[in-house]
Amino acid sequence: MSLDPEVRDDPDARRYLLEIDGQTAVVTYNLVAGGLMVTETLVPEALEGRGVASRLARHVLADVKARGLVILPVCPFFAAYLQKHPEWVEVVHPAYRAALGL
């Protein structure tokens, strides 16, 4: 899957950003050895129900895969997304695979 050109990574702030209609949706993360620990997904109420969080998730997962990293999904949205999309199992940290039932 290719990266979404409208999603940008702000590594200094440790977050991915997607601006839509003057609103900004955010995925926050921490760098850990060999991966990204995704801690939170925030979508403004005005953007809810439009697939914005899923769009961010696809971008983050594709970026992690392209960079040869793994994801540690402590964010409840990311954990649920990965359970619904097991095709991303190879980018999930092995310790999290069992916890997510992957």
Side-chain angles (χ1 to χ4, degrees):
M1 174 167 283
S2 63
L3 295 177
D4 188 323
E6 294 182 24
V7 177
R8 65 182 179 88
D9 183 13
D10 181 352
D12 293 332
R14 295 182 316 272
R15 61 188 185 164
Y16 289 88
L17 306 160
L18 175 58
E19 294 182 30
I20 300 173
D21 299 336
Q23 303 281 325
T24 304
V26 177
V27 170
T28 61
Y29 63 85
N30 290 310
L31 294 172
V32 295
L36 295 182
M37 178 179 287
V38 174
T39 57
E40 192 170 35
T41 302
L42 302 169
V43 176
E45 191 173 330
L47 299 178
E48 288 180 359
R50 295 171 54 180
V52 173
S54 293
R55 184 174 166 187
L56 279 164
R58 287 189 300 271
H59 176 90
V60 172
L61 291 164
D63 189 37
V64 165
K65 183 176 182 177
R67 293 167 57 189
L69 301 173
V70 293
I71 193 163
L72 295 82
V74 297
C75 165
F77 172 79
F78 257 80
Y81 184 89
L82 288 163
Q83 288 173 319
K84 292 177 186 172
H85 298 277
E87 65 270 22
W88 290 104
V89 68
E90 77 274 2
V91 298
V92 178
H93 189 282
Y96 285 78
R97 290 178 191 169
L100 295 174
L102 301 174

